[in-house]
Amino acid sequence: MTALPGPLDDATIEAALARRGAGNADAALLSDVLAAARATPQVRGWWPPLRGSRQAWALLAAALLLAAAVVVGVGASRTAPPPAPEPSAPAIVVPSASAAPATSPTVVATPSAAASTSAECPPDPTGVTTGDAMPPTRSEPMALMGDGLDLGVYLTAADVWTVRTGSATRIASLGATDAGLARIDDLSQDGRFAVAELGQTINASPLVACNNLYVIGTDGTSATTRITRFGAHEHASDARFSPDGRFLAFRFDDLSGHTPVVGLIDLIGDPTPRTIECGETSMFDFAWARDGHRLAMVCGGRLDVVSAEAGLVESSTVLPFHGEIFMELAWSDAETTVLVTALDNGIGVSDAPVRVRSVASGAVSNPVPVSPALTYAGPGSATAPDGHAVAVVAFPRDKTIGWHVIDTSTGAAQAVAGPGCSDLAWSADGRSVLFVEGGPATTVPALTVVDLATAARQFLGSVPADYRGGVFRGR
Amino acid sequence: MPTVVTGAVVVGRGEPVLIERARAGDHDAFEALIAPRIDTLFRTARAIVGNEADARDATQDACVSAWKHLPRLRDLDKFDAWLGRVLVNSCRMQLRRQRRVREIAIPADFDSAGPRETGPESVDGIDAVVRAFDRLDADARALLVLHHLRHEPLAGIASNLGIPVGTVKWRLHAARRALERALEGERS
């Protein structure tokens, strides 16, 4: 048996990391770096510095106003115009390497003259195929019993599958997609489409990857649409359909040193991807309001509600977080957002009690402690369809990590899934949750439903050996 | 005694000039900027990604990316923080190729483990922590490396990662917790 270290203290971690990071770069590495730099042109342009700066936008607006005043002839006889009002933030801008994608989800991801890709990314970085173009699969389809599942879309090593009951149907083959870069993010509310992140490493480099968002028809007959055209340093993830299906919001990371923002695509109107920024702070999480027109965003120490169409802030609430850490964001009703937070007890202190706050009409409630007490374990959440509860990953008193359902109004908590469980989803009525059950006590990973009122468990079916994650929706 | 690896590179008086020249496309200035930093960058990358070959790729990718995007750097005083963020992102890209979600099985008797016999001086014990580190995701690795290997202050880590200091605190807490859980997984 491997001997374990003593309590995990700073000295142990530092010794381990010093061993991992031992060694120096040699002259060849520096030479390679400089040679590569000499062969690489620098990116120049006037607009990128504006992306994250409200002040810069204000200056730009002032300059435009001044120019307009000069054009209409009022500037010559008057004193300088008053300073332009600071534009509402977040501002919406167009990502650098994006171009207008196809206008409807009917185009297979093949090279397109309309696609204006970064020089680093080929026109079709993933080679996704559908229908008769799909090569034979080597995966076994998931087989589900009963009617506990409304819809599921999942990944195996080389394919995308949809399943309701009985045997799953393959709806896309990933082709050249790197399985490590593939992920199903969300299902549209009508169940017709799934949105997936698919990508491919470029030029055999382990570091340069082109990943994009794809909308995939769940019926197995619709084609797949690649809806973004990002460059190798731009990444879209955590995409979520608006409840009305019009918009797709996602986390957008520019890996050349910028902070994360929300990306937005109008699937019905102008499909050009835009970003909704938080000004100078990072975006931590976002959640669609039920009307499908507003997004709540946690931006640094404030909660902004933004109009998806106009990109303007409808309300902005300062969060009174003093020694409190943000975990998850949800909407509990049409006008109230819920923040699941944890008390911050400092680095290395493992008891950070989970609590719930609500934000409505600019007012933040006092924190409601979760009972029985839970402590923070890690990211991951799923909100009930009616917003009455949020499932999070947390530790109860016995330190057995798992999913816990928290009532957002009372703070009452209930353990629903243990270690190794993943891909948790809610039923339409919010009375049960389903998840892929794994962990040390599970011999065969399986899709399982738990009734929240009775705690009764129902086995729906085993997941394939090469299962790589999915999104499910209970009936 | 733990080994302390100095991570911070002190910005010299002439560095803003070098950065400005490199921003303007001067390769010699860029070399003068990178040469004294490359060891630190490499060690950081190696601690995050876990092996030399990948660390070399991550370091090279980060440096080339920094060169490419240097004209977009607004605040010259934040060059090191910005370069650190680019490096962490390169390491994250490297690790993204691996399975995106790592499940760490937690034994039900997590709390009832018996007394541990070895301390931080134990080679086996430290090896277990080294291996446990491989079970963490990229962000957790980066945070722990910046804090425990490079000994960067929380404000520096926040600047490196582009997140508030409060968020750094709780993410560090979560990362350490994850490392503890991963270490338990090494028992089996």
Side-chain angles (χ1 to χ4, degrees):
Chain A
M1 175 182 284
T2 302
L4 285 176
L8 192 52
D9 53 18
D10 286 354
T12 306
I13 297 175
E14 287 167 6
L17 289 178
R19 182 174 301 173
R20 282 179 67 92
N24 286 325
D26 53 29
L29 177 58
L30 180 61
S31 175
D32 289 347
V33 164
L34 297 175
R38 287 181 193 282
T40 304
Q42 289 183 314
V43 175
R44 298 181 184 280
W46 64 271
W47 63 268
L50 298 179
R51 291 184 50 187
S53 167
R54 287 193 223 178
Q55 290 80 3
W57 280 111
L59 285 172
L60 178 60
L64 291 174
L65 280 176
L66 181 60
V70 170
V71 168
V72 298
V74 297
S77 59
R78 297 185 182 182
T79 56
E86 187 170 303
S88 295
I92 286 192
V93 296
V94 180
S96 59
S98 303
T103 54
S104 63
T106 56
V107 180
V108 177
T110 52
S112 163
S116 173
T117 58
S118 157
E120 299 162 310
C121 291
D124 177 13
T126 53
V128 176
T129 54
T130 57
D132 293 339
M134 292 190 292
T137 182
R138 286 180 289 179
S139 299
E140 290 295 323
M142 181 186 290
L144 292 184
M145 302 179 294
D147 59 357
L149 181 71
D150 175 50
L151 175 65
V153 174
Y154 67 92
L155 289 163
T156 55
D159 301 293
V160 183
W161 303 74
T162 185
V163 63
R164 294 178 186 274
T165 188
S167 185
T169 302
R170 189 164 63 127
I171 56 175
S173 175
L174 298 182
T177 293
D178 186 324
L181 298 177
R183 182 184 177 93
I184 306 294
D185 281 346
D186 196 18
L187 302 171
S188 63
Q189 200 158 68
D190 62 10
R192 294 170 59 207
F193 299 102
V195 59
E197 304 164 33
L198 303 176
Q200 185 195 45
T201 53
I202 301 301
N203 299 330
S205 166
L207 297 171
V208 182
C210 294
N211 90 323
N212 282 282
L213 297 176
Y214 289 72
V215 170
I216 304 173
T218 57
D219 61 0
T221 58
S222 301
T224 300
T225 304
R226 175 181 166 192
I227 56 173
T228 58
R229 295 286 190 275
F230 291 140
H233 281 273
E234 297 166 312
H235 285 272
S237 58
D238 197 14
R240 303 175 209 171
F241 287 103
S242 60
D244 61 3
R246 173 174 175 178
F247 293 103
L248 197 61
F250 54 93
R251 176 189 165 107
F252 179 74
D253 288 284
D254 183 334
L255 297 182
S256 57
H258 293 278
T259 54
V261 299
V262 170
L264 192 67
I265 293 173
D266 186 341
L267 297 171
I268 297 174
D270 179 359
T272 305
R274 300 170 291 166
T275 59
I276 307 178
E277 305 189 345
C278 283
E280 296 290 348
T281 64
S282 286
M283 186 282 300
F284 296 128
D285 196 11
F286 62 93
W288 280 107
R290 288 180 211 167
D291 59 19
H293 299 289
R294 292 173 298 158
L295 269 170
M297 301 165 54
V298 176
C299 290
R302 65 178 200 274
L303 177 72
D304 289 343
V305 176
V306 184
S307 159
E309 290 179 66
L312 298 176
V313 176
E314 294 190 351
S315 67
S316 185
T317 305
V318 174
L319 301 173
F321 284 177
H322 299 293
E324 197 170 354
I325 57 181
F326 167 74
M327 287 175 66
E328 304 298 340
L329 174 66
W331 289 78
S332 62
D333 60 41
E335 300 302 331
T336 307
T337 48
V338 171
L339 296 148
V340 179
T341 67
L343 200 61
D344 185 0
N345 286 346
I347 300 166
V349 180
S350 59
D351 56 338
V354 175
R355 46 215 280 180
V356 180
R357 288 180 185 264
S358 60
V359 181
S361 303
V364 184
S365 74
N366 288 324
V368 176
V370 168
S371 178
L374 297 174
T375 58
Y376 174 78
S381 72
T383 305
D386 65 359
H388 81 280
V390 176
V392 299
V393 181
F395 288 100
R397 288 190 188 281
D398 69 1
K399 301 292 178 69
T400 305
I401 189 173
W403 286 88
H404 296 258
V405 169
I406 300 171
D407 187 304
T408 53
S409 57
T410 66
Q414 176 182 1
V416 294
C421 297
S422 62
D423 302 334
L424 185 138
W426 287 84
S427 64
D429 61 8
R431 294 181 179 177
S432 61
V433 293
L434 57 86
F435 48 86
V436 174
E437 189 158 28
T442 306
T443 53
V444 180
L447 200 61
T448 302
V449 177
V450 172
D451 185 304
L452 295 177
T454 65
R457 302 168 78 87
Q458 180 187 359
F459 170 84
L460 293 182
S462 300
V463 300
D466 60 347
Y467 175 79
R468 298 291 172 85
V471 175
F472 299 92
R473 180 184 298 161
R475 188 171 293 280
Chain B
M1 289 288 290
T3 303
V4 176
V5 179
T6 303
V9 175
V10 178
V11 176
R13 287 183 180 176
E15 291 242 309
V17 176
L18 286 176
I19 297 169
E20 194 58 70
R21 282 172 49 199
R23 273 163 51 109
D26 185 334
H27 288 281
D28 293 336
F30 184 68
E31 179 176 358
L33 284 172
I34 290 299
R37 290 171 169 83
I38 199 159
D39 281 343
T40 298
L41 294 171
F42 175 75
R43 284 196 295 265
T44 302
R46 180 163 179 169
I48 294 174
V49 301
N51 66 76
E52 181 173 346
D54 290 344
R56 292 177 70 92
D57 285 342
T59 305
Q60 178 166 335
D61 183 75
C63 291
V64 173
S65 182
W67 162 258
K68 184 176 174 181
H69 296 286
L70 198 52
R72 296 165 71 167
L73 178 64
R74 274 177 285 169
D75 188 345
L76 302 191
D77 291 338
K78 295 183 177 175
F79 174 74
D80 278 307
W82 175 77
L83 183 60
R85 195 188 307 178
V86 172
L87 178 72
V88 168
N89 281 332
S90 292
C91 294
R92 186 183 289 138
M93 279 300 304
Q94 165 70 14
L95 294 168
R96 276 173 71 104
R97 295 186 68 246
Q98 302 169 8
R99 188 175 179 186
R100 297 184 58 155
V101 178
R102 289 167 178 264
E103 290 181 3
I104 300 169
I106 308 299
D109 59 347
F110 179 86
D111 243 1
S112 61
R116 290 144 177 169
E117 298 170 352
T118 57
E121 297 79 15
S122 161
V123 172
D124 283 348
I126 292 173
D127 278 345
V129 180
V130 170
R131 289 193 303 274
F133 207 76
D134 282 330
R135 296 174 175 235
L136 304 184
D137 64 29
D139 290 336
R141 294 186 195 193
L143 276 166
L144 291 171
V145 167
L146 293 175
H147 184 65
H148 289 288
L149 181 67
R150 292 181 56 158
H151 297 287
E152 292 198 3
L154 295 184
I157 297 174
S159 183
N160 251 327
L161 301 180
I163 56 180
V165 173
T167 306
V168 170
K169 285 184 69 180
W170 78 260
R171 287 191 181 175
L172 259 174
H173 163 64
R176 187 162 174 147
R177 193 69 181 266
L179 184 60
E180 290 169 358
R181 296 198 302 270
L183 194 55
E184 289 292 326
E186 286 297 316
R187 297 181 69 188
S188 55

